Amino acid sequence: MTRYFFVILVMALIGIAIIVKAGIIMFVERGYWQEVAERFVKENVPIKPNRGNIISSDGRLMASSLPEYRIYMDFVAGDTKKDTTLMNHLDEICTGLHRIFPDKSVNYFKEHLKKGRKAKNRNYLIYPGRISYIKYKQVKELPVFCWNKFSGGFHEQIYNQRKKPFGSLAARTLGSIYADTTKGKGAISGIELAFDSVLKGKDGITRRQKVKNKYLSIVEIPPVDGCDVITTIDVGMQDICEKALSDKLKEINGTEGVAILMEVSTGEIKSIVNLVKRTDGSYGEEGIERNSALSNMMEPGSTFKTASIMVALEDGVITPNSGIDTGNGVKMMHGRAMRDHNWRRGGYQYLTVPQILMVSSNIGVSALIDQHYGKTPGKFVDGLYRLGLNEPLNLQIPGGGKPVIRHPKDGNWYKTALPWMSIGYETQIPPINMLTFYNAIANNGVMVKPKFVKSVIRNGEVVEEYPTEVIKSFICSQRTISQIQEILEKVVSEGLGKPAGTPQFPVAGKTGTAQISQGAAGYKSGTIQYLVSFCGYFPADDPKYSCIISIQKPGLPASGGLMAGSVFSKIAERVMAQNLVKDLKMAVDTSSVLIPEVKQGELLTTKHVLDELKIKTNADFKSRRKTEVWGTAQLTEESVVLKDKELNESLVPNVIGMGARDAVYLLESKGLKVNLSGVGKVKRQSITNGSKIVKGQTIALQLN
């Protein structure tokens, strides 16, 4: 029993010792062994891929990922050699840091590093803020910092920062992403969010393994970099739209503005601008994630009148020759006063249908619609639905609003709803939806879905393409489309939309001016806010682009034609000017020089070039069998006269007036060494022509 007791005691002591040692390892020596583990054993370490780029339709980089770094020092890592080296080279290190980061002094870095060393900090931030890869590499060249992190202590944290080369241009549409320190989160908004799955790529996996007494990171699964996304946005057009809209907002003290430019046949969004007034009075897109062009749920105002007239034309209850008496500009509609904008000046009296839209008469539209649909308002709303105005667009990027057009069967319908709905109130339609409707008119009734992304590519190869998607093959009959196209062109050429026009080509569209409801307070709370807009297309005779301008501003004056229409005009002219190609002959005048300047030198080559350019030459060489003919060129009004000149093989030739290539070739072929200075034609030669050639002699040529 004594022996058994002794064995049990020994085993118990050994067990206690194991438990104590395990506790020491787990708690007391935890940091040390974690460092050892990190140094020698790493399994299934993820490797982050490079996020794909977002590229404009004209091939320019709009968003890309670039690495940024925070640099740290571990003052506990390494041994006494490291600490001694650090202190011996402290002046050199601090001077180097000051050279790389001139905003901090040498003394600042010296005191800063001494403070971290005294505290034995293991993750001490050397420089506040993130630095570029170039500066990181410069820091890595300094003493001690160039050692590996286990012996020297210098280490870094990498951030994959998203950069936009064009700044805030289309920033809300491109979207943004979370900083990669926020785990489990990726993109926040826009194209970045909609195409996050293809942009972010796939993580790889690596592990640390000992190979020939060296520990290497072995890649088991390589990362797959993200694909590039090719957008429909044209940087030049985006810049045109943003500049035109920004200038107008500054001029009228607007609070917010939207401009969208769409290609008629394809639905490609060539430009989309969302500008908001900042606290300092400037305008920009950055800092706000909401894309107003897609989500603004406001009453569109008079741009909606086009749809009301189209419904009536399509149902056959009116024709372009129909008309109505608008009186003195004020008409009671079911107990509520409807006013035209010129009611103080006596109104418009009798107006035909085209004139109603040309002067944007509220009474004209609402009276016609109430007259023909007052007893069957549901039929009118059904007609709006046929036009596709109520349908959500299900866009490629998030944030699109769903139009709200009430139907009598939904309840809460009053007799005043129909006349006010017909002029753009009692409805909520985002700008992108209204533009899609007008684009369908320009596209002869074919409604196409707005498109922001054309394709996804990887290493230059197309992974996926996004073709044009047709929402409705026709929104109405061709007869109605032709009638409304003609009326919209008159709105600009003869009506209130004149500021949107241009003498360069015909424009069609409709103005809009509406009071903005202040929620429960209605339209009479403090300073009245207005929404001025213009929606149309150009050129009207062969539509290429459709465009909507929507501006919010406080107080009067407020005019969709003068304010939004003038922005539309500038955009239309500048966009069309981008593709303007003129015949070169149109640039020729009496002062034009069509015969180029020709240098002296080898004439056979000169004649070949002039012949290829179809420039008339007059050449009469004495010998036509030579491979080289040297001489002079003289210019006349209609041709170039080439005259050859015999060279004496033993005398230095005259190379003044020749180009560098011909002069060097000729002189070196005669055994001279050439020293050149300057550019252009030979102005001066150090050995005069006619001197006897001494082979190996150096001749200096000055070019000018």
Side-chain angles (χ1 to χ4, degrees):
M1 290 300 295
T2 303
R3 289 197 301 270
Y4 285 136
F5 175 77
F6 180 74
V7 170
I8 291 172
L9 179 61
V10 170
M11 291 178 66
L13 292 174
I14 293 173
I16 292 170
I18 291 172
I19 293 172
V20 170
K21 184 61 177 176
I24 292 172
I25 292 173
M26 290 173 64
F27 299 104
V28 179
E29 299 177 353
R30 180 178 180 178
Y32 170 79
W33 290 110
Q34 280 185 333
E35 184 178 338
V36 171
E38 287 179 2
R39 188 180 303 180
F40 298 110
V41 180
K42 283 188 178 180
E43 296 288 343
N44 298 329
V45 178
I47 309 174
K48 291 296 179 183
N50 294 318
R51 190 173 179 86
N53 301 318
I54 299 178
I55 302 170
S56 69
S57 64
D58 50 341
R60 305 193 201 184
L61 195 63
M62 299 196 76
S64 183
S65 294
L66 296 174
E68 289 187 344
Y69 300 81
R70 280 187 184 273
I71 50 176
Y72 299 88
M73 190 65 180
D74 180 358
F75 289 99
V76 178
D79 50 22
T80 54
K81 177 186 175 183
K82 169 252 180 161
D83 190 62
T84 303
T85 306
L86 176 66
M87 297 310 296
N88 289 340
H89 291 82
L90 187 61
D91 290 340
E92 182 182 349
I93 292 171
C94 294
T95 302
L97 289 173
H98 169 65
R99 184 182 68 253
I100 300 168
F101 309 110
D103 58 314
K104 301 294 183 184
S105 66
V106 175
N107 286 334
Y108 167 83
F109 282 115
K110 190 175 292 185
E111 295 301 321
H112 187 61
L113 293 178
K114 284 181 177 179
K115 182 179 177 181
R117 176 175 174 267
K118 184 177 180 181
K120 295 184 178 180
N121 196 314
R122 306 209 63 175
N123 202 42
Y124 193 68
L125 187 63
I126 297 174
Y127 178 76
R130 300 179 185 180
I131 65 174
S132 66
Y133 175 74
I134 294 175
K135 290 191 174 183
Y136 165 74
K137 292 295 289 182
Q138 291 174 343
V139 173
K140 278 285 289 181
E141 294 174 357
L142 297 175
V144 181
F145 291 179
C146 61
W147 299 1
N148 68 62
K149 67 178 182 180
F150 300 110
S151 57
F154 177 81
H155 57 283
E156 73 286 333
Q157 185 174 3
I158 305 175
Y159 297 82
N160 210 8
Q161 186 68 18
R162 203 66 167 165
K163 297 289 185 181
K164 295 183 175 73
F166 293 98
S168 66
L169 209 68
R172 293 200 210 175
T173 303
L174 296 177
S176 57
I177 62 175
Y178 289 99
D180 52 10
T181 52
T182 308
K183 297 181 180 179
K185 295 183 179 181
I188 301 172
S189 61
I191 292 174
E192 295 277 17
L193 176 59
F195 291 84
D196 186 50
S197 59
V198 296
L199 283 167
K200 68 182 181 182
K202 295 182 180 179
D203 289 355
I205 295 177
T206 185
R207 60 185 173 85
R208 194 170 181 83
Q209 180 175 320
K210 188 174 183 179
V211 178
K212 293 183 178 180
N213 294 323
K214 291 184 179 180
Y215 287 90
L216 305 176
S217 294
I218 308 299
V219 176
E220 293 189 340
I221 302 176
V224 179
D225 290 341
C227 298
D228 294 337
V229 171
I230 309 298
T231 71
T232 61
I233 294 172
D234 183 289
V235 171
M237 295 182 186
Q238 180 76 24
D239 189 48
I240 287 170
C241 293
E242 183 168 315
K243 178 68 166 61
L245 182 60
S246 177
D247 288 347
K248 181 57 66 173
L249 286 170
K250 292 174 185 175
E251 178 187 331
I252 65 175
N253 192 31
T255 56
E256 185 173 345
V258 164
I260 316 173
L261 182 69
M262 181 191 292
E263 195 171 71
V264 169
S265 59
T266 64
E268 292 186 2
I269 301 298
K270 309 309 292 184
S271 167
I272 178 167
V273 182
N274 295 272
L275 296 181
V276 174
K277 189 174 184 179
R278 305 187 184 103
T279 54
D280 62 356
S282 62
Y283 294 87
E285 288 203 18
E286 70 278 7
I288 300 175
E289 301 300 336
R290 188 174 67 87
N291 197 322
S292 303
L294 312 183
S295 62
N296 265 5
M297 299 294 292
M298 290 191 294
E299 296 164 316
S302 297
T303 54
F304 192 82
K305 292 174 182 175
T306 302
S308 300
I309 294 299
M310 283 183 68
V311 171
L313 288 170
E314 183 70 5
D315 288 345
V317 297
I318 63 170
T319 70
N321 297 322
S322 301
I324 197 165
D325 185 8
T326 64
N328 61 0
V330 181
K331 182 179 177 65
M332 296 304 294
M333 305 289 293
H334 305 289
R336 184 177 171 189
M338 175 73 71
R339 289 182 172 86
D340 278 340
H341 68 90
N342 72 333
W343 66 277
R344 297 181 188 276
R345 299 192 299 273
Y348 288 112
Q349 311 305 320
Y350 184 83
L351 294 172
T352 62
V353 168
Q355 290 172 333
I356 287 171
L357 287 184
M358 285 164 60
V359 300
S360 197
S361 171
N362 292 334
I363 295 174
V365 175
S366 59
L368 279 176
I369 298 303
D370 193 63
Q371 177 183 326
H372 295 290
Y373 296 98
K375 295 181 180 180
T376 56
K379 184 179 179 182
F380 173 74
V381 179
D382 289 339
L384 295 175
Y385 289 178
R386 287 197 305 271
L387 296 178
L389 280 166
N390 66 312
E391 296 181 7
L393 295 175
N394 299 317
L395 300 169
Q396 289 177 310
I397 61 177
K402 182 179 179 181
V404 178
I405 301 178
R406 293 193 299 125
H407 199 284
K409 65 183 180 183
D410 296 333
N412 295 324
W413 187 267
Y414 304 97
K415 288 185 178 181
T416 55
L418 182 63
W420 262 264
M421 175 183 285
S422 67
I423 62 170
Y425 292 93
E426 304 265 349
T427 62
Q428 292 178 318
I429 300 178
I432 188 74
N433 294 68
M434 185 58 71
L435 176 62
T436 303
F437 166 64
Y438 274 82
N439 192 81
I441 296 174
N443 203 23
N444 294 318
V446 181
M447 181 177 281
V448 294
K449 183 176 179 178
K451 183 166 59 173
F452 295 87
V453 173
K454 297 167 68 173
S455 60
V456 174
I457 64 172
R458 185 193 298 280
N459 299 325
E461 298 290 331
V462 176
V463 175
E464 187 171 1
E465 274 190 296
Y466 300 95
T468 299
E469 186 176 334
V470 176
I471 299 173
K472 282 181 174 291
S473 299
F474 55 89
I475 59 173
C476 62
S477 66
Q478 281 301 311
R479 181 202 62 183
T480 302
I481 285 291
S482 299
Q483 290 171 343
I484 207 69
Q485 285 176 340
E486 184 177 348
I487 294 173
L488 291 178
E489 193 168 346
K490 286 184 178 180
V491 169
V492 178
S493 61
E494 304 174 33
L496 295 178
K498 279 185 179 180
T502 169
Q504 311 302 327
F505 47 83
V507 172
K510 180 70 184 74
T511 61
T513 306
Q515 291 184 27
I516 299 174
S517 175
Q518 305 298 311
Y523 300 94
K524 298 180 180 180
S525 174
T527 302
I528 297 175
Q529 294 284 324
Y530 287 90
L531 178 71
V532 295
S533 58
F534 185 91
C535 193
Y537 51 88
F538 60 91
D541 53 354
D542 183 20
K544 295 288 190 297
Y545 301 100
S546 60
C547 180
I548 186 170
I549 308 298
S550 177
I551 298 173
Q552 297 179 44
K553 71 174 298 289
L556 293 171
S559 169
L562 290 173
M563 295 173 179
S566 60
V567 177
F568 184 99
S569 175
K570 289 180 181 178
I571 291 173
E573 287 183 342
R574 294 169 186 177
V575 166
M576 293 302 291
Q578 279 194 319
N579 301 320
L580 191 62
V581 178
K582 295 287 187 182
D583 190 340
L584 183 60
K585 293 178 181 178
M586 296 177 66
V588 176
D589 57 24
T590 55
S591 63
S592 298
V593 179
L594 300 179
I595 304 299
E597 183 182 354
V598 181
K599 297 175 183 177
Q600 319 296 340
E602 206 284 306
L603 300 183
L604 291 178
T605 305
T606 301
K607 187 176 187 309
H608 174 73
V609 172
L610 293 172
D611 289 344
E612 289 293 317
L613 294 173
K614 296 186 168 113
I615 295 171
K616 187 178 178 181
T617 59
N618 186 355
D620 186 15
F621 303 147
K622 293 177 182 178
S623 176
R624 299 183 179 275
R625 294 185 179 180
K626 291 183 178 180
T627 57
E628 297 172 4
V629 176
W630 299 90
T632 61
Q634 296 178 348
L635 307 183
T636 68
E637 291 184 359
E638 297 182 351
S639 64
V640 179
V641 179
L642 303 175
K643 293 183 179 181
D644 62 343
K645 185 177 181 180
E646 291 293 333
L647 299 178
N648 191 320
E649 295 296 327
S650 61
L651 301 179
V652 175
N654 182 10
V655 295
I656 293 175
M658 292 187 185
R661 186 179 66 173
D662 281 356
V664 170
Y665 173 79
L666 179 58
L667 293 171
E668 289 190 346
S669 67
K670 296 185 178 298
L672 296 171
K673 293 182 179 180
V674 181
N675 185 4
L676 286 174
S677 63
V679 293
K681 295 188 297 185
V682 177
K683 179 182 179 182
R684 194 176 291 113
Q685 60 185 76
S686 63
I687 303 176
T688 58
N689 62 297
S691 302
K692 190 174 181 180
I693 292 176
V694 179
K695 292 192 176 183
Q697 189 176 9
T698 299
I699 180 171
L701 302 181
Q702 182 179 344
L703 280 65
N704 184 17

